């Protein structure tokens, strides 16, 4: 089946959100904030210093500009690139919570730590997923970005035909559970195969949307799985994630294991704090978008929020004034939940 992609770019106060839409559903969510500064995302090239080589782990640890910590395969170090030497590295995967960025060594370099090529701009990254496709903006882009963010933070998803899919990320792996739900029919094997095919396709899309990789464990529905058919589904669904996808055989317990390269920051880490609640900046950006929506001509908007959210919102207030004028107030209230901000207009 041919796949049609659309591209959206929502330009907000303090944040830009790019969305790749695949056959009517969000496939990727890219987030760039004015507070990010210079970041080491996929595609960035830096000069880094080799600070430690762990032979037992087969890894080398590097320090790049701005304290950037990287890990590369020891076997990939060029001859002569010992401890203390500088090497030129292309970032393959950004740093994640409690995880180092990973990269590919290009060559030995004589320079001190510095940037060579920064992370590609969000627009450039967005166009790379669908070359030649026009990027859409406006209200449709904001709705697409809001929907993508909501789905990226969800764990439970209905499947076409009546099944259900659960995707949960742990420190060690991503656990995916496929449930037949109401899709079970008289021919259970045929129903299970169809449900699992749909689930595999959805799993690939959701992993890209959530920005997840690493070890993926899929608990398939039913028993007596049609291995060849399901492996073809895996091959097609994860083609956009190549190279680097490795798939194991379906176990006797009906579990499919695979690894997918990390190439993005998990959306949950971008939007949520360690407590799994929106961090102050995320909550402030959400609230400011709502202020913008409510600020119709002739109306004054009042926003009430937690003190830490108010700090972030007031930092962005000058840019919001340039858009809608000084027709809003931001009031902080002790004891209000970070996610419990409220916006009203009069």
């Amino acid at each position: 089946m041919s796949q049609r992609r659309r591209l959206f770019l929502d330009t907000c106060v303090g944040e830009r959100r790019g969305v790749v839409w695949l056959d009517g559903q969000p496939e990727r969510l890219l987030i760039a904030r004015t507070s990010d500064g210079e970041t080491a995302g996929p595609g960035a090239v830096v000069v880094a210093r080799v600070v430690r080589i762990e032979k037992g782990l087969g890894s080398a640890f590097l320090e790049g500009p701005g304290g950037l910590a990287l890990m590369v395969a020891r076997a990939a170090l060029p001859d002569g690139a010992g401890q203390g030497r500088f090497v030129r590295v292309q970032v393959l995967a950004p740093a994640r919570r409690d995880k180092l960025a990973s990269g590919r060594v290009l060559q030995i370099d004589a320079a001190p730590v510095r940037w060579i090529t920064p992370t590609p701009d969000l627009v450039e990254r967005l166009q790379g997923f669908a070359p030649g496709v026009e990027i859409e903006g406006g209200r449709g882009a904001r709705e697409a970005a809001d929907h993508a963010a909501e789905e990226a933070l969800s764990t439970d998803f209905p499947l076409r035909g009546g099944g259900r899919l659960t995707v949960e990320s742990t420190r060690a792996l991503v656990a995916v559970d496929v449930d037949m739900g109401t899709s079970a029919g008289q021919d259970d094997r045929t129903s299970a195969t169809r449900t699992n095919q749909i689930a595999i396709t959805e799993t690939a899309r959701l992993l890209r949307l959530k920005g997840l990789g690493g070890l993926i464990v899929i608990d398939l529905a039913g028993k007596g799985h049609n291995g060849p058919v399901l492996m073809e589904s895996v091959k097609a669904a994860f083609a956009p994630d190549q190279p680097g996808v490795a798939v194991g055989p379906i176990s006797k317990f009906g579990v499919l294991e695979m690894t997918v390269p990390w190439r993005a920051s998990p959306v949950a880490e971008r939007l949520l704090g360690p407590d799994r609640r929106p961090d102050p900046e995320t909550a402030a950006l959400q609230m400011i978008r709502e202020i913008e929506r409510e600020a119709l001509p002739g109306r004054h908007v009042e926003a009430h929020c937690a003190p830490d959210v108010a700090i972030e919102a007031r930092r962005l207030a000058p840019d919001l004034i340039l858009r809608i004028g000084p027709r809003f107030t931001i009031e902080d209230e002790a004891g209000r939940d970070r996610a419990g901000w409220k916006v009203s207009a009069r």
Side-chain angles (χ1 to χ4, degrees):
M1 182 178 68
S2 63
Q3 296 181 322
R4 181 174 181 268
R5 286 180 169 84
R6 297 173 65 187
L7 304 177
F8 296 94
L9 179 61
D10 177 36
T11 302
C12 324
V13 171
E15 182 179 60
R16 291 190 301 165
R17 299 180 295 172
V19 184
V20 181
W21 211 255
L22 173 64
D23 291 334
Q25 298 181 90
E27 181 191 31
R28 298 181 195 268
L29 175 62
L30 313 179
I31 299 171
R33 292 177 172 174
T34 55
S35 61
D36 288 341
E38 200 163 30
T39 58
V45 177
V46 302
V47 173
R49 183 172 61 89
V50 180
V51 295
R52 192 171 81 255
I53 297 176
E54 294 284 355
K55 295 182 180 179
L57 297 175
S59 301
F61 298 89
L62 287 63
E63 181 181 11
L68 170 66
L70 288 145
M71 182 175 68
V72 301
R74 174 175 173 264
L77 288 177
D79 292 339
Q83 187 169 319
R85 293 297 302 273
F86 292 101
V87 292
R88 190 169 298 198
V89 185
Q90 182 177 43
V91 177
L92 299 178
R96 311 190 305 280
R97 192 169 291 155
D98 300 325
K99 299 287 186 180
L100 302 181
S102 64
R104 176 170 62 94
V105 177
L106 303 176
Q107 64 185 56
I108 294 178
D109 203 296
V113 291
R114 61 191 175 94
W115 292 91
I116 299 295
T117 307
T119 305
D121 176 77
L122 186 143
V123 172
E124 182 182 345
R125 292 166 56 203
L126 192 60
Q127 290 177 325
F129 295 116
V133 174
E134 182 182 357
I135 297 178
E136 304 175 44
R139 181 179 297 178
R142 179 150 300 184
E143 292 175 353
D146 287 344
H147 178 71
E150 181 180 357
E151 190 162 286
L153 297 178
S154 300
T155 58
D156 190 57
F157 306 90
L159 292 176
R160 188 177 70 255
R164 297 203 71 80
L165 185 70
T166 303
V167 181
E168 296 181 283
S169 178
T170 72
R171 187 176 178 84
L173 52 84
V174 179
V176 180
D177 180 62
V178 185
D179 185 3
M180 291 283 289
T182 60
S183 65
Q186 292 183 346
D187 185 347
D188 288 343
R189 175 168 175 149
T190 301
S191 296
T193 298
R194 187 181 305 111
T195 298
N196 286 324
Q197 286 180 292
I198 295 170
I200 287 168
T201 300
E202 276 293 274
T203 296
R205 177 184 71 85
L206 290 168
L207 292 178
R208 292 192 285 270
L209 175 62
K210 291 171 172 287
L212 297 176
L215 177 61
I216 316 298
V217 178
I218 305 176
D219 183 12
L220 299 167
K223 300 178 180 179
H225 301 96
N226 191 329
V229 169
L230 295 183
M231 287 301 173
E232 284 299 313
S233 294
V234 170
K235 181 178 178 181
F238 287 89
D241 304 294
Q242 295 287 10
V245 177
V247 186
I250 299 172
S251 75
K252 65 179 180 180
F253 301 111
V255 174
L256 173 63
E257 295 183 9
M258 61 189 303
T259 58
V260 177
W262 283 99
R263 294 200 176 98
S265 296
V267 170
E269 290 188 11
R270 290 286 280 156
L271 300 182
L272 306 178
D275 58 0
R276 301 293 299 176
R277 296 165 57 230
D279 63 30
E281 185 177 18
T282 295
L285 288 164
Q286 292 172 340
M287 185 177 74
I288 281 178
R289 285 194 291 271
E290 185 63 24
I291 291 173
E292 233 186 307
R293 273 190 284 262
E294 291 292 329
L296 299 176
R299 302 177 76 179
H300 183 85
V301 182
E302 294 182 356
H304 298 263
C305 59
D308 55 356
V309 175
I311 291 172
E312 293 293 332
R314 287 170 182 148
R315 178 177 62 82
L316 298 167
D319 291 331
L320 182 58
I321 289 173
L322 292 176
R323 286 199 174 197
I324 65 173
R327 297 187 293 109
F328 63 92
T329 54
I330 298 171
E331 302 291 341
D332 57 274
E333 297 178 358
R336 182 179 282 271
D337 185 81
R338 188 181 298 155
W341 51 265
K342 182 179 179 181
V343 171
S344 58
R346 56 181 174 79

